[in-house]
Amino acid sequence: MKRVVVFFPSWRYFGHFALPLFARLTDRFEIVFLHTERAIYGWDDCPDLSDQGIETVDLASLKTASFVKALRMLNPDEVVVFDKGWMQDRALLHAAQFLGIRSFHIQHGIIAPLSKVKTQNSLRRGVLEFVKVVRTFWLYNRTLLDMGGAAWRKSLRYQGALLRNPNDYYYNDRDEVQADLAGIIGERDRTFGVEREGYTAEQLVPFGALPFEAAYRLCAREPHRQLLLVTQPLFEDHVLMGGLAAKEKHLREMIGASPLPVAIKPHPREDRGWYEERFSTEELRLYPAEWDINEAILDSSHVMGYFSTALINALILKRPVGIIRWVDDGAYVLNLDGAGVGVSLHSLADISPFVHTVDNLKVDTGHFAYKINSIDVLEKLFID
């Protein structure tokens, strides 16, 4: 049975994304979830998944800061990452190449050709996340040094660029290292994969995403007349400034401007309790955590958001999509309004006319989301 190491930085950073994909493969492959929760972040959120046939390993438990040593101990046949914008993922891919282990990069969400993007308030973030940054650099450098001086020296240009803003590496210098193959979610992502990620066209594999596949299978139904806000932890991540006080003000302004009741399905990395403490059920409808985002979209007549992948689900389900543009949108990476399939909302006043638009019926969703079974793709890749 082939042994597959699936890496994510933390359970809250892609772990919840990995589980639905790989839990269905445990009867055919030996699945190991490797993460850096205690090694980098100092928390321990990853659940014990042994009852689902998945081994979970924190890098700290291996008593090493090097992915070269970690992979030698775990001895996988394949490794999988979800976003090689992250320094940990890049270090793991370097180690896999060095050891001759085949690697696969799964596109976890929306990407787009960006200029040099810097998240807001980088000095404050640098102070708040100093320990995380230091630990991440240590892990990366230990891995590269274990590969030899030449590999480490080659990485210095990238590390120098990263040090100038420790918060921009998610978006930039993404062509530093590649996996052997990369799975993309839609046809629009081919250009980014080649020009920004550094892949060849032959390395890109149509992969789709489980939520897209589920959306394609759903049947239309009569929705509630309500506006679903697809949220993201943008204030928490300092992509939008002002912290949680600004977030509350932003939400109350939208609720007040909408002629329709407003509903939210909180992002997996958002604190649901924060919403419950600040908004009554009359002000804001909160969908249960266990509800699928597709069900919340089908339940709503209109959908608006920032740049969440779930907005593509709304296109598949033929709901009108509004893109919030009156906040600082310099980091937006999904320009559905620019592509003519979404509505630009440049001010709160634009919400009212938006909720009178009709269903989104004429969108070529295949451009954004392949209609394909991702698990079948994984199984074929691992067997080949």
Side-chain angles (χ1 to χ4, degrees):
M1 186 179 286
K2 274 191 174 182
R3 185 170 171 86
V4 180
V5 165
V6 181
F7 175 75
F8 46 83
S10 166
W11 181 253
R12 66 184 74 171
Y13 302 133
F14 313 129
H16 64 279
F17 179 82
L19 183 60
L21 277 170
F22 290 91
R24 306 185 203 182
L25 295 173
T26 55
D27 59 334
R28 285 150 283 176
F29 306 97
E30 188 179 349
I31 305 297
V32 179
F33 280 3
L34 173 64
H35 61 86
T36 53
E37 288 201 339
R38 286 186 287 119
I40 297 293
Y41 303 100
W43 60 63
D44 192 11
D45 288 349
C46 189
D48 179 1
L49 300 172
S50 56
D51 61 336
Q52 299 188 53
I54 297 174
E55 180 184 358
T56 55
V57 178
D58 192 308
L59 183 68
S61 70
L62 301 179
K63 309 300 183 185
T64 181
S66 165
F67 277 129
V68 172
K69 291 185 173 69
L71 290 181
R72 281 178 173 151
M73 285 185 265
L74 295 172
N75 194 29
D77 300 290
E78 314 264 357
V79 299
V80 177
V81 302
F82 292 103
D83 188 347
K84 69 182 184 68
W86 292 63
M87 217 171 175
Q88 299 101 302
D89 296 65
R90 298 188 195 200
L92 185 74
L93 289 177
H94 278 301
Q97 287 182 357
F98 178 69
L99 297 172
I101 301 168
R102 195 168 73 152
S103 56
F104 185 50
H105 168 204
I106 297 175
Q107 178 191 341
H108 81 282
I110 295 306
I111 54 177
L114 299 176
S115 58
K116 277 280 184 180
V117 168
K118 293 189 177 183
T119 52
Q120 298 295 323
N121 211 348
S122 59
L123 177 61
R124 180 171 180 270
R125 285 196 71 190
V127 171
L128 290 173
E129 302 183 0
F130 177 77
V131 172
K132 184 191 81 172
V133 171
V134 169
R135 287 174 174 171
T136 303
F137 267 88
W138 175 246
L139 181 157
Y140 181 89
N141 279 279
R142 283 308 320 157
T143 299
L144 271 290
L145 285 167
D146 279 352
M147 294 167 53
W152 180 77
R153 286 191 296 272
K154 188 177 178 181
S155 76
L156 292 178
R157 181 196 64 81
Y158 158 65
Q159 294 196 64
L162 180 55
L163 277 170
R164 287 193 291 273
N165 179 7
N167 306 302
D168 76 350
Y169 61 92
Y170 306 102
Y171 302 109
N172 302 306
D173 301 297
R174 296 180 67 101
D175 60 350
E176 183 218 353
V177 64
Q178 290 76 41
D180 293 308
L181 294 171
I184 56 176
I185 63 177
E187 198 60 26
R188 70 183 289 271
D189 301 307
R190 285 193 176 276
T191 300
F192 185 94
V194 172
E195 294 181 358
R196 294 297 302 278
E197 298 275 17
Y199 289 110
T200 65
E202 293 71 28
Q203 288 177 289
L204 299 176
V205 178
F207 189 76
L210 291 182
F212 296 160
E213 182 197 0
Y216 278 119
R217 290 199 310 266
L218 288 173
C219 298
R221 66 169 182 253
E222 189 67 25
H224 294 292
R225 287 285 296 167
Q226 70 178 18
L227 175 60
L228 177 69
L229 174 61
V230 177
T231 61
Q232 294 170 264
L234 301 179
F235 290 93
E236 293 87 337
D237 289 348
H238 311 288
V239 175
L240 297 179
M241 296 179 67
L244 293 179
K247 177 176 180 175
E248 181 175 353
K249 179 176 181 291
H250 178 58
L251 289 171
R252 290 195 180 281
E253 288 174 343
M254 288 189 286
I255 293 169
S258 175
L260 298 181
V262 176
I264 283 180
K265 170 71 167 65
H267 187 278
R269 287 201 294 114
E270 286 186 296
D271 179 5
R272 179 184 177 83
W274 182 87
Y275 287 101
E276 293 173 334
E277 291 169 5
R278 286 162 178 81
F279 297 93
S280 68
T281 54
E282 289 76 22
E283 291 176 300
L284 188 65
R285 179 182 182 186
L286 277 182
Y287 279 95
E290 60 271 16
W291 264 56
D292 182 83
I293 186 61
N294 288 318
E295 293 293 335
I297 292 169
L298 268 185
D299 209 34
S300 307
S301 59
H302 294 76
V303 179
M304 72 176 182
Y306 309 88
F307 56 91
S308 169
T309 309
L311 296 175
I312 294 179
N313 295 58
L315 293 182
I316 295 170
L317 295 169
K318 303 189 184 307
R319 295 294 186 253
V321 173
I323 307 298
I324 297 167
R325 290 288 184 188
W326 67 85
V327 295
D328 179 4
D329 62 356
Y332 279 26
V333 295
L334 179 62
N335 296 313
L336 294 179
D337 45 353
V341 298
V343 177
S344 297
L345 305 177
H346 293 293
S347 71
L348 290 164
D350 290 334
I351 294 178
S352 182
F354 165 64
V355 299
H356 292 96
T357 56
V358 297
D359 289 354
N360 222 342
L361 299 175
K362 299 179 180 179
V363 177
D364 175 17
T365 54
H367 179 66
F368 300 98
Y370 293 121
K371 189 176 182 180
I372 193 169
N373 187 307
S374 303
I375 295 174
D376 289 346
V377 175
L378 280 176
E379 185 172 14
K380 184 176 185 303
L381 284 171
F382 295 155
I383 289 174
D384 287 349

